[in-house]
Amino acid sequence: MAQIAAERSEPAAAAVANPAPLGLAAFALTTFVLSVVNAGLVSSNGINDVLGLAFFYGGLAQLLAGMWEFRNRNTLGATAFSTYGAFWLAFGFTVWQKLLVTGPILGWFMLAWGLITLLFFLSALRTDIALMAVLFFLFLTFVVLGIAEFSGNSVITNVAGWLGIVTALLAWYRSWAGILESGQGPFRLPVGPMA
């Protein structure tokens, strides 16, 4: 009887959707739009043109996806999405308030994010090739953005923009694969599972 009472008192774990496709899609779109600017494909005011995306899709949606990953007990997903959501919120806010200047300060900022991304990449080595590719290209993007800020060379910024575009495309691919994995699509996309 005590066992039956204990079983009844424990709430059944509710099935929840996988938040990773949302987090990856939010990351991809925000990264893509800013990277198009960095690559020099459009004339723009830089990050100012994507502040709405930075705050609400790249920032808030990723932060929410990270919190939902905690519910799914996915420590890597929870930490990465929450971290990159906070990145977009912090980056958008500092640009909006004109607190982040270009040059060495921004260079160190980008290199530090490159280091964080390298740690996430190393943590993802047993996940899948698609996710590892996203993190690897994001690492390269941050490092090249940091170098561009130190050098002041717009050609290096353009290279970083193209790396960011590749990163975004890979993130969209992994996001779509995650949606299809949920059984919502007629086929699956290969992601190259490592474990």
Side-chain angles (χ1 to χ4, degrees):
M1 287 299 258
Q3 182 180 1
I4 294 171
E7 288 174 3
R8 287 185 184 163
S9 65
E10 293 178 15
V16 294
N18 181 3
L22 168 63
L24 285 162
F27 167 80
L29 181 61
T30 312
T31 301
F32 180 81
V33 172
L34 183 57
S35 294
V36 165
V37 173
N38 285 339
L41 298 177
V42 295
S43 175
S44 107
N45 296 320
I47 184 70
N48 292 317
D49 288 342
V50 295
L51 279 178
L53 278 175
F55 284 128
F56 295 104
Y57 201 40
L60 182 60
Q62 272 195 99
L63 188 61
L64 289 170
M67 296 300 108
W68 291 322
E69 284 286 24
F70 278 113
R71 170 75 170 93
N72 284 346
R73 298 180 182 187
N74 179 354
T75 304
L76 176 60
T79 307
F81 287 132
S82 299
T83 298
Y84 292 121
F87 163 81
W88 281 113
L89 289 168
F91 191 65
F93 181 79
T94 54
V95 170
W96 179 48
Q97 294 297 312
K98 297 178 178 36
L99 300 173
L100 189 64
V101 295
T102 59
I105 298 288
L106 187 53
W108 284 112
F109 182 80
M110 292 300 172
L111 288 180
W113 279 98
L115 177 60
I116 291 168
T117 303
L118 178 61
L119 297 176
F120 286 140
F121 170 76
L122 294 173
S123 300
L125 290 177
R126 297 184 67 198
T127 59
D128 60 65
I129 293 170
L131 179 60
M132 290 168 44
V134 171
L135 292 168
F136 179 74
F137 275 91
L138 181 59
F139 164 73
L140 292 178
T141 302
F142 277 129
V143 169
V144 175
L145 280 170
I147 292 168
E149 287 301 323
F150 283 118
S151 70
N153 187 327
S154 64
V155 173
I156 298 174
T157 302
N158 294 154
V159 170
W162 283 105
L163 287 168
I165 290 169
V166 170
T167 302
L169 294 173
L170 290 167
W172 268 320
Y173 178 89
R174 188 58 186 94
S175 174
W176 189 25
I179 292 168
L180 294 172
E181 286 169 3
S182 71
Q184 302 299 313
F187 59 91
R188 303 264 170 116
L189 292 174
V191 295
M194 299 298 286

